[in-house]
Amino acid sequence: MSSAQAASWDGLFAGRPAFVTDTSQPVRLAIVNNMTGVLPNSEINLRTLARRYNAVLLNIFLDWTDPASSAQRILDTLKAGSQALPDHPEIQHLNVVLIGFSAGAAGAAITASSPLLSNPDPTKAPQRVLAVAAFDELDQSPYLPPPWTPFLFLADTQSDVYGGLTRPVEDMTPVTNHDVFARQLAAQGRPITVMLQPGEWHGGSRYGWNHEISSRFFIFWTQEILKAALPATPPTTAPFLAPDWRTYAGAYRGTYDVALNTNTQPWGDDERMTNVVIAPKASYNDPRPYIWLPNQTVANFWKTYAQTGALPREAAAYSLFALYAFVRQGADAASQTAVDSPTTTAAPPTLPTPSYTSSCGFSSTGDANLIVNFDRAIASADAAVSGGLLAGAPKVWANVLMVPLKRTVYSQQLTVQLTNITPIDGTTPLDLNVTAKYASPCS
């Protein structure tokens, strides 16, 4: 098996989508996805993590109302994986990382605490959960992972009642906001990391569609935990005992203030972290409540992201690329009710040249916005258009570029030339053409 050529596997385990990076090597980890609309083999950041640790990516529904059944579902799926790939008996015994979005975050967290996955005694088996990540939602007990398990809360803007740092935790009495609650958990000794995702609003940006920046921070955070916790050789008879991170000597602490309405990019007029401080756990002396960071590497990375709203360059092993492009009818790029004309894109490392077809597309006023989402935050871009008019200068919001357009009466095609699309992280700028071909002439 070790001498065979690397070969990925994409299929179903017990009827649930599964993806294995390399079946010629032992599988070392299971990453269980409880996020809406993300398939195991289609999300670049999850594939990156899976490739580094030869993980199996799984889509498994984790129900926040029934953690026992959800945990059993994970075990049944892993057993089915060993049966589907009989050369990989280790799959049945893999330790897991659980991730979830919105209510799926609550499902992932409470499932992690099920006795089927985490013994109430942290020194006894089973301790199968290596980490839990909650995207855009943080809930009170019982919707929390075990107190010794690394827990990442990815917060977002104050307009999101489920994930904004300054918004109250759902149904919590007395009323406590997410930021205060997270720091209270850290003060109890729980290894909880909090990161504010600039420009994000409950699973996407204010300007629509998924960001995919936040999952890059999740990848970086998780891989540092796996470096310390994941054995080089997966056991084939039983899961290994996941460690208790409450006593990890190399941990750091981080603190910050939450500022509102600063009108600075890439946060705009939403929440941002300011006055950011990190220090080793043993020497932390800032009077402000703190959150947990697994080591110095993550602490430095976290601080940079918190202060600049852009992930450092080492977060990606590839160049800037466009995730998707679409045209939104009307002059308001932030409209959540306008009809969007999406495009198809190629997966990296091939740089996509998006295009779309519409039935004339623009609203009766002729106004529209070309919106392009990139894999990281951008600072600026230049634009020119053929077959139409620019209605203003391009605007950026985190990783979203918006180009206001006005169609000329008789044009049947628009071509927008985007040049010098400059990432905040200092990686190489990108040029990109986006062409809109109309299905029928416009009067």
Side-chain angles (χ1 to χ4, degrees):
M1 188 163 60
S2 61
S3 61
Q5 184 178 1
S8 62
W9 185 93
D10 189 1
L12 299 175
F13 291 167
R16 300 178 181 93
F19 177 78
V20 181
T21 305
D22 184 2
T23 57
S24 73
Q25 301 293 329
V27 182
R28 300 178 61 196
L29 169 72
I31 302 172
V32 177
N33 168 49
N34 197 33
M35 297 174 69
T36 303
V38 179
L39 297 175
N41 62 346
S42 63
E43 216 281 345
I44 176 96
N45 299 294
L46 291 182
R47 292 205 312 269
T48 297
L49 183 63
R51 185 169 59 250
R52 288 172 181 165
Y53 295 96
N54 202 34
V56 53
L57 301 177
L58 299 169
N59 265 17
I60 302 177
F61 173 60
L62 307 177
D63 187 349
W64 60 272
T65 67
D66 193 354
S69 295
S70 298
Q72 187 62 56
R73 202 172 295 125
I74 292 173
L75 300 180
D76 292 344
T77 303
L78 293 174
K79 182 177 181 180
S82 286
Q83 295 169 345
L85 300 174
D87 289 339
H88 291 276
E90 74 278 7
I91 292 178
Q92 181 174 349
H93 306 291
L94 292 177
N95 288 67
V96 296
V97 170
L98 307 183
I99 62 175
F101 160 68
S102 192
I110 193 172
T111 298
S113 290
S114 167
L116 293 174
L117 298 177
S118 298
N119 193 308
D121 183 341
T123 67
K124 297 180 180 178
Q127 297 296 342
R128 295 186 74 149
V129 183
L130 295 174
V132 176
F135 287 69
D136 298 335
E137 182 160 327
L138 177 63
D139 296 280
Q140 58 182 312
S141 183
Y143 310 106
L144 293 170
W148 51 87
T149 301
F151 184 31
L152 174 62
F153 168 46
L154 289 153
D156 52 19
T157 64
Q158 77 238 42
S159 57
D160 180 10
V161 297
Y162 302 107
L165 286 179
T166 57
R167 300 296 297 221
V169 178
E170 188 175 12
D171 298 327
M172 192 169 184
T173 304
V175 176
T176 305
N177 71 34
H178 292 103
D179 179 51
V180 170
F181 179 57
R183 299 201 214 201
Q184 288 174 349
L185 294 176
Q188 296 169 13
R190 286 178 177 261
I192 179 170
T193 302
V194 176
M195 173 49 68
L196 177 64
Q197 307 163 81
E200 181 137 335
W201 181 85
H202 209 71
S205 85
R206 170 179 298 188
Y207 298 94
W209 295 50
N210 183 27
H211 259 263
E212 296 194 27
I213 292 182
S214 51
S215 54
R216 284 174 60 207
F217 182 83
F218 158 72
I219 298 307
F220 191 84
W221 178 86
T222 303
Q223 72 181 12
E224 291 300 310
I225 290 167
L226 296 179
K227 285 178 183 177
L230 193 64
T233 302
T236 57
T237 57
F240 68 89
L241 195 67
D244 184 341
W245 282 82
R246 292 175 294 185
T247 57
Y248 184 64
Y252 267 58
R253 288 176 175 172
T255 192
Y256 52 88
D257 297 325
V258 181
L260 302 176
N261 304 319
T262 59
N263 196 29
T264 52
Q265 284 292 344
W267 301 274
D269 60 356
D270 281 309
E271 299 174 341
R272 64 167 298 190
M273 291 178 170
T274 61
N275 304 319
V276 180
V277 171
I278 58 173
K281 176 182 177 180
S283 59
Y284 178 85
N285 57 14
D286 194 293
R288 292 173 293 173
Y290 51 81
I291 54 92
W292 175 88
L293 298 160
N295 59 26
Q296 184 178 13
T297 301
V298 173
N300 289 332
F301 192 85
W302 175 87
K303 183 179 181 181
T304 298
Y305 190 25
Q307 291 178 320
T308 67
L311 292 171
R313 293 183 62 166
E314 62 265 28
Y318 43 83
S319 301
L320 172 71
F321 69 93
L323 296 169
Y324 358 71
F326 56 96
V327 166
R328 176 166 292 167
Q329 298 179 20
D332 181 9
S335 172
Q336 297 295 315
T337 59
V339 177
D340 297 335
S341 298
T343 74
T344 56
T345 61
T350 303
L351 294 177
T353 304
S355 64
Y356 73 92
T357 300
S358 75
S359 58
C360 193
F362 293 178
S363 65
S364 58
T365 63
D367 292 325
N369 284 271
L370 169 66
I371 300 178
V372 188
N373 287 43
F374 296 89
D375 75 297
R376 68 200 71 179
I378 56 175
S380 60
D382 299 319
V385 61
S386 302
L389 300 171
L390 287 175
K395 302 175 183 179
V396 296
W397 173 272
N399 69 319
V400 182
L401 174 66
M402 295 149 286
V403 184
L405 300 171
K406 188 176 289 292
R407 187 182 62 80
T408 57
V409 174
Y410 297 107
S411 64
Q412 297 182 35
Q413 176 174 298
L414 285 176
T415 299
V416 181
Q417 298 88 32
L418 302 174
T419 57
N420 199 31
I421 306 167
T422 304
I424 290 178
D425 66 5
T427 45
T428 304
L430 174 68
D431 295 338
L432 191 67
N433 288 343
V434 181
T435 301
K437 296 181 179 179
Y438 295 106
S440 59
C442 301
S443 61

